[in-house]
Structures are given as C-alpha cells and as structure tokens.
Amino acid sequence: MKSRFGEDSRYKQTRKETISMIVLLIANIVWWFTFAYGFGSVDPEQYVYILGFPAWFFLSCIVSVFLFSILTWIIVSLVFKDMPLEETDGEEGEAS
Amino acid sequence: MSGELSYLIQLWVPLISYLCIVILIGYYSTRKVRKAGDRFIDEYYLGNRGLGGYVLAMTLVATYVSASSFLGGPGTAYSQGLGWVLLAMTQIPAAYITLGILGKRFAIVSRKVRAVTVIDVIKERYGNNTIVVLMTSVATVSFLIVAVIAQFVGGARLFQTITGLPYIVGLVLFGGIVLIYVTWGGFRAVVLTDTLQGTVMLIGTIIILIAAFMAGGGVSSVMQELYNTDPDLITPFGVDNFITVPWISSFWILVCIGILGLPQNAIRAMAYKNSKSMHRAIVIGTVVSGVLMLGLHLSGSVARVLISVPEGLTTDSIMPLLAMDLFPAWLVGIFLAAPLATIMSTVDSQLILMSSTIMRDLYISYVNPDLSSDKLKVLSMLTTAILGLIIIVAALNPPSLIIWINLYAFGGLEATFFWVLVLGLYWRRANAQGAIASMGVGIISFLLISELWPRPFGAHPIVLALILALIAFVIATYATSPPSDETIEKFWGA
C-alpha cells in the first residue's frame, strides 16, 4: 500500500541502517551460540584452551567483544550517513 | 589506632572528592537551566537535545548498567562461574540496538512533533488517546519508583559495607547527593555525571580484572583452580546445570532486544545533537558496554579462587570485598566510588524521567497547559525533589510490596513499551486500540506468568509475554480503523 503523500526522504536511509543493525545482531547471536555450545558442550576434562581460557569462553565471550566492536565500527562507517535531524523545511533556529 | 585512622583517611579522601565533583557538575548544569528561559522544559528534561558522541554513549551505558551488573551479577558469576559471564554477554548489543534501531527515526520524529518525553511521541503517534497516555504514564511511574527505591537500598547498604557507617547515614548521604544534583541540574546534570561515573566504572573494571588475574597467578592457573574447585565453573552451563540453554537464550530478549522498551534508554535516542554524535556513540557505547560486562562478570568468577565470602555477607558484596583484598586503601576508595556511581547513574535517570512524566505528560497535558515559565520551573524542580524525598523515606524501611514489584519492574516496563514504541515507529497501521490491547495483555500476562509459570518452555516469562502482547496488538489493530491520515502524515510525511 503506497501512501498518497511523499515519504520523508530520510526514512529510506534510516530503514537501511536499521536493517544493518538487525543483521549485526543476528550475527552476534549466532556467533555467541555457536562457539559457546559448539566447544563448551563436551566434558570439561576435554576442553581445548586458548591463552589459558577454555576455547568456548575465549571465542564466544572475549573475542566477541572485540570482533563486534570492530564490526559495529565498520558497519556504521559504511552504512550510516550523516543527515539533518531537524525538520527539513523548518526554520527552527539552533539556540546555542 | 593511627594505622586504622590513616586507612580511613585514604579511603574517604577519594570518595569525598568524587562526591564533590558530582555536586559541582550539578551546579554547573543549574546555570544552563537558569539561562534556558523559555526553553526550560527542553533543557531540564532533555538537556536541549545537545548530547555529543562520548556523553551519549556513556550515559546510555551507565543508565542500563545498574547495581545488578556491579553487585548481583558478579556475585552470581562468583557462584556459577564462566556460564554467568556468557549470560552477561547478551548485553553487548545494547548500544547498537538502542541507537541503531530507535536511533535516527526516533530523533527525527521527536523533532517533528516537538516531543520532550518518550510519552510525548507515543501520545502524538496514537492520536492523543487518553488511555494510552495514562497507561504508559502510570506504568512508568509505578515500575520506576520501586526500581529506584530498591537501588537506593542497595546504594545505602553498600555505603554501610564500605564505611561502617549506619544504614540511615549512608542513605541520607547517598540519597541526598543524588537528589541535589538531579533537582538542580535536570537532565544535563544527569548525563554529565553519568559520563564521569561511566568513565570511573570503566577504568575501575579494567584495573580490577587485571589485578585479579595477577593475584591468581595468571589465566591458566586461575582456570585450573576453578576446575579443581568444581569443573562446572568453567562450563557454559553453570553449577548443576543451573543455566539451561532456553533460559540463557531468553536473555537476548530480556536484557538485549527488550531494552528498546525501557523509556530511560529510549529518551536518550532523542537527546543527541546530530547524526555524527549518534554514529560515534554507537561505536563507543558498544566497546564500553562490552568491556564493562566482560570485565565485571569475569572478575566475579576469578574472585572465586581468591577470596571466600565472610559470614553474614552475601555474594553481592564480592566486588567490594575483591577491591579491599587487592588494592591499597586509596585505590579502594576510588574503586568503591564505581559501584556507587553505577547506582547513582541509574537512579538519577529514572528520577528525572519520573519527574518528566508527572509534569510534562500528566500535569501540563491534562491539568494546566498554560503555565508561566517561572511557575513551570519551580513546579518541575519541586516534583523532582518531592519524588526523591518519598523514595528516601520509603527506602528507610522498604515495604515488602516494593521488593515484590521490583522483581518485575524491568520486564514490566518492556511489556508496556516495547511494541508500542517499535511498531509505532515502523508500522503505519498501528493504532491506539492495538497499543492499549498490547500494553494490557503484556503487563497482565507478564505478571501472571511470572507468578504461576516461572519458566514457560524453559524460557524467561518476558518472552511469552511479549509474544502475547504482539498478537494482541495485531488483532486489535486490524479489528479497528487505521490511524488518521493526519497522524500518518505527521510521522511519515516529508
């Protein structure tokens, strides 16, 4: 159902940004789940260790902090665009 | 005797200087408030929409990192091991979710309709429907007031543990300081102190994590010790399978996606200056929340091999105990400012939000729309101060009803706001009837399920409550007429 009036032109961009963040969230959940239970479900006696941490913990908790910080930064720089937030036609003066 | 005296001095000097800085920030913000003139409401409740990137990131993180992440969370990580750290990691996306999904859309819309509060936006979106406004306002004030009382109790107890002063002294001192800067300085004071407090937390957390691993003889030997204590401590499942997979997975809803529905977070998505500051805040906020969540909870787990909880204390005191064990007194003073800071930075945001709900969403809208700006100023500050006093009095001897409601404050707010906000922003067809049905079904089902069926299908009650609330929203919306063209045009039109 298309609208009778023109949609705010900024919304196309914000929709793209929202979708990119949802994709990032899904990747984050998948990463967390895969490594935590992929490596962590065996008997603790057979755990593999990375830098002293059990591998499941190292990958799903420690690496994910760095990885998803970097991914956030990359996506924000690639997908997110600067735009005015004020009303496009408005003459609202900045008080400061 | 003199040794003990110097310990006390070393402990108190950083603590007091820290509290003085907080009050100074409140004073600085008052000057901004005084100069605001006609824009008083915008300044006092929204800091004149002027947040920059770092401040926005820190206030967002500091607001949702509450006492539970600093005291309760690490305490549970102490008893459950690494599995609880895994659970805490579900909170990493908080910043990119809140700012990335509500983010620009919310900021643009709130400027279009000149909204100052989250409920302002909701009110405009659902065609000034009185029931919607009343339900959201009452839910905000009643859930937040108990949450704040519970946090005040936590803050005062912590003060008591650290300093040995009686509970009431801790409460009056701690509560008094928060009350002064919030009443005086409004939203700006809240976000600036949050920034300071967030920074203190961040530095404190990194230091304590490194110190704890060093004291334990390195990562490998800490992990070996944990394994020897109980192999369950280094599994993702917790002790005796306490952390089941469906249950831990539902935390992605409760503490990650669901926080879109917390008004104290959402308000921050409309208070920033421009899109650049928001982009920066997403990145900074994600890094900071990741480091805080990992650092705090992992320290709690590591503490298991370093200290045992003395008789008469619960695992909630694990972080203060760890700090006292690892650090010289002056550093303990700085570090202990951190959990106090956490509690303050959560409480202050909730206090100013309640004040705005009562003044802006209820009083100005329904009782007296034509207040002179002087009167408005006096009344707003008075509302904040009275709310704070009620809370302090209630915290002196908290009634058990408060403790009960507090268990549900977080989920209750999410059940109220989540769909109303998200669908309101992204679904044109959403109307007031849908919002009312969703809030009613959400809150009631959340409370009932929590009481009667604590882990439906192994998950946290919030999951089922949000699903039911969504169904109710969709059915009620399609059963009634679509929102007026005027509303759609106001929100979506160019």
Side-chain angles (χ1 to χ4, degrees):
Chain A
M1 197 179 75
K2 272 283 154 209
S3 50
R4 277 150 290 159
F5 54 87
E7 194 188 56
D8 190 313
S9 53
R10 293 168 291 181
Y11 282 9
K12 207 175 146 204
Q13 173 61 21
T14 62
R15 212 170 295 133
K16 220 196 275 172
E17 295 175 1
T18 303
I19 292 168
S20 74
M21 287 294 114
I22 294 173
V23 172
L24 182 65
L25 174 69
I26 293 169
N28 199 335
I29 296 175
V30 170
W31 176 279
W32 175 91
F33 194 90
T34 313
F35 287 109
Y37 297 102
F39 285 79
S41 296
V42 295
D43 191 290
E45 218 173 303
Q46 294 157 13
Y47 275 176
V48 183
Y49 289 83
I50 302 175
L51 297 181
F53 293 100
W56 73 264
F57 182 80
F58 185 77
L59 290 166
S60 75
C61 296
I62 297 177
V63 171
S64 70
V65 170
F66 295 97
L67 178 69
F68 285 92
S69 297
I70 293 169
L71 284 179
T72 307
W73 177 67
I74 292 175
I75 293 182
V76 168
S77 349
L78 290 182
V79 179
F80 282 56
K81 295 225 160 65
D82 274 332
M83 60 173 73
L85 300 170
E86 307 299 332
E87 285 207 71
T88 33
D89 54 22
E91 67 270 62
E92 199 167 323
E94 271 290 294
S96 58
Chain B
M1 189 66 213
S2 71
E4 197 173 311
L5 189 68
S6 82
Y7 181 86
L8 277 180
I9 293 172
Q10 288 181 48
L11 186 73
W12 272 99
V13 167
L15 212 54
I16 289 179
S17 13
Y18 172 74
L19 294 174
C20 287
I21 296 174
V22 166
I23 291 184
L24 276 179
I25 292 177
Y27 178 70
Y28 161 81
S29 309
T30 324
R31 292 177 36 199
K32 288 270 185 184
V33 171
R34 214 179 297 144
K35 274 193 251 162
D38 281 350
R39 302 181 64 104
F40 170 78
I41 280 274
D42 263 290
E43 169 62 38
Y44 191 69
Y45 288 131
L46 210 50
N48 215 4
R49 297 181 217 264
L51 304 193
Y54 185 71
V55 174
L56 175 62
M58 290 317 255
T59 182
L60 190 67
V61 173
T63 299
Y64 77 77
V65 176
S66 62
S68 71
S69 328
F70 226 103
L71 305 170
T76 317
Y78 176 88
S79 24
Q80 295 296 334
L82 299 182
W84 202 260
V85 185
L86 180 68
L87 184 143
M89 298 320 280
T90 58
Q91 295 175 69
I92 302 182
Y96 71 73
I97 284 279
T98 311
L99 293 175
I101 294 183
L102 285 182
K104 272 179 201 160
R105 193 62 86 83
F106 206 51
I108 291 172
V109 160
S110 71
R111 281 166 166 91
K112 276 184 200 253
V113 301
R114 304 196 195 291
V116 179
T117 64
V118 174
I119 295 177
D120 267 345
V121 177
I122 292 174
K123 183 176 156 202
E124 292 287 337
R125 175 64 183 81
Y126 296 104
N128 284 314
N129 186 299
T130 314
I131 302 174
V132 173
V133 176
L134 285 180
M135 279 177 93
T136 46
S137 307
V138 170
T140 303
V141 175
S142 45
F143 283 128
L144 280 185
I145 205 162
V146 293
V148 173
I149 292 170
Q151 297 250 347
F152 265 51
V153 172
R157 288 222 180 101
L158 185 67
F159 226 89
Q160 189 184 14
T161 318
I162 301 168
T163 61
L165 291 173
Y167 177 76
I168 179 159
V169 178
L171 182 68
V172 170
L173 208 60
F174 171 80
I177 288 168
V178 176
L179 198 52
I180 288 172
Y181 76 74
V182 178
T183 305
W184 258 2
F187 190 80
R188 189 181 295 270
V190 170
V191 297
L192 289 179
T193 49
D194 279 1
T195 307
L196 172 73
Q197 290 156 349
T199 312
V200 170
M201 286 192 278
L202 188 66
I203 296 170
T205 303
I206 295 172
I207 294 176
I208 204 163
L209 180 64
I210 294 172
F213 270 118
M214 280 165 59
V219 178
S220 297
S221 82
V222 168
M223 293 300 145
Q224 190 57 45
E225 273 299 307
L226 283 175
Y227 180 83
N228 294 343
T229 313
D230 181 350
D232 284 354
L233 289 174
I234 61 164
T235 70
F237 302 103
V239 175
D240 295 330
N241 232 344
F242 179 76
I243 311 168
T244 60
V245 177
W247 193 67
I248 193 177
S249 301
S250 51
F251 277 77
W252 283 103
I253 307 287
L254 182 71
V255 298
C256 175
I257 302 166
I259 63 166
L260 286 180
L262 296 178
Q264 65 267 38
N265 287 336
I267 183 85
R268 281 161 173 70
M270 57 195 253
Y272 52 87
K273 204 189 308 173
N274 51 37
S275 57
K276 255 206 191 73
S277 26
M278 185 263 223
H279 299 166
R280 205 171 302 138
I282 294 185
V283 180
I284 300 173
T286 306
V287 176
V288 172
S289 63
V291 171
L292 276 179
M293 289 301 158
L294 179 67
L296 287 171
H297 293 86
L298 187 53
S299 303
S301 296
V302 176
R304 182 68 177 255
V305 303
L306 300 175
I307 47 176
S308 52
V309 178
E311 198 80 29
L313 287 175
T314 63
T315 52
D316 278 2
S317 314
I318 205 70
M319 290 308 267
L321 288 170
L322 187 62
M324 291 186 214
D325 187 61
L326 293 174
F327 296 153
W330 62 272
L331 201 53
V332 176
I334 296 178
F335 184 76
L336 289 181
L340 280 179
T342 324
I343 299 175
M344 282 187 190
S345 60
T346 304
V347 167
D348 59 8
S349 318
Q350 297 173 339
L351 197 57
I352 197 73
L353 186 75
M354 281 191 284
S355 168
S356 76
T357 306
I358 293 173
M359 273 307 291
R360 165 82 195 188
D361 301 324
L362 295 175
Y363 189 79
I364 298 181
S365 298
Y366 295 108
V367 185
N368 191 350
D370 305 307
L371 276 175
S372 73
S373 66
D374 276 347
K375 259 207 175 128
L376 193 61
K377 196 161 149 183
V378 174
L379 275 176
S380 302
M381 290 188 169
L382 210 61
T383 310
T384 316
I386 291 173
L387 266 173
L389 286 176
I390 294 174
I391 290 163
I392 291 182
V393 171
L396 279 178
N397 190 7
S400 52
L401 180 69
I402 286 178
I403 292 159
W404 184 80
I405 301 178
N406 181 48
L407 288 176
Y408 304 122
F410 202 77
L413 279 174
E414 291 181 359
T416 311
F417 281 97
F418 186 80
W419 296 118
V420 174
L421 275 179
V422 174
L423 295 182
L425 282 180
Y426 286 97
W427 190 33
R428 291 187 192 194
R429 184 64 170 79
N431 65 14
Q433 287 75 15
I436 294 167
S438 149
M439 286 190 278
V441 170
I443 297 174
I444 292 169
S445 66
F446 177 65
L447 294 180
L448 281 181
I449 297 169
S450 305
E451 282 296 294
L452 304 175
W453 192 17
R455 284 193 186 192
F457 312 109
H460 189 281
I462 190 68
V463 180
L464 188 56
L466 281 180
I467 293 173
L468 293 175
L470 174 63
I471 296 172
F473 202 129
V474 174
I475 292 177
T477 293
Y478 278 122
T480 50
S481 51
S484 71
D485 288 350
E486 198 189 334
T487 303
I488 300 280
E489 174 118 33
K490 208 189 286 171
F491 272 71
W492 274 271

